[in-house]
Amino acid sequence: EIAELSFAGNGEDALDMIKADFYNLIIMDIGLPGISGLEAVGEIRKLGSYKSVPVIAVSAYAMVGDRETFLSRGCSHYISKPFSFSELKEVVNKLLKDHNDMKSKL
């Protein structure tokens, strides 16, 4: 269950928010204005507390190789637009469960 959601309109705002607070999961639109979603994910991954936080790349890009590019650039999962709420909810729940299971083993 998601207790709180925050939204950023661009990559710069997302980075500012992430530096000011801690998020258990990030859903990052790849096509953000200014700093792209992939650039923002790269900066997020440089922050020690965010090295293992799940990041879902959301994009209308669905070309062969896009998924692999997103995953190689720091995203932990990729979901293409358009997607249903139930599809997003399933991915979010699985990633949070997996992340929490991993943390409990440490």
Side-chain angles (χ1 to χ4, degrees):
E1 184 173 305
I2 297 174
E4 184 178 325
L5 296 173
S6 299
F7 297 91
N10 59 55
E12 292 88 353
D13 288 348
L15 290 173
D16 289 342
M17 290 169 61
I18 285 166
K19 290 174 184 173
D21 203 353
F22 183 79
Y23 297 89
N24 293 311
L25 183 132
I26 299 167
I27 301 172
M28 182 66 70
D29 191 321
I30 298 303
L32 292 174
I35 295 175
S36 76
L38 283 181
E39 291 171 311
V41 170
E43 293 301 311
I44 290 166
R45 290 299 190 205
K46 291 178 186 177
L47 303 171
S49 58
Y50 281 99
K51 289 199 182 294
S52 66
V53 169
V55 176
I56 302 171
V58 176
S59 178
Y61 301 120
M63 302 296 291
V64 173
D66 284 341
R67 179 182 186 278
E68 292 76 15
T69 298
F70 302 150
L71 297 179
S72 72
R73 300 272 303 270
C75 298
S76 51
H77 196 79
Y78 163 68
I79 190 168
S80 63
K81 294 177 186 176
F83 53 86
S84 67
F85 175 75
S86 62
E87 182 181 7
L88 179 62
K89 181 179 171 183
E90 181 180 322
V91 170
V92 166
N93 286 336
K94 179 187 182 324
L95 288 174
L96 286 175
K97 180 186 179 312
D98 291 352
H99 183 69
N100 289 333
D101 289 349
M102 182 185 70
K103 282 179 18 181
S104 69
K105 290 178 184 177
L106 294 178

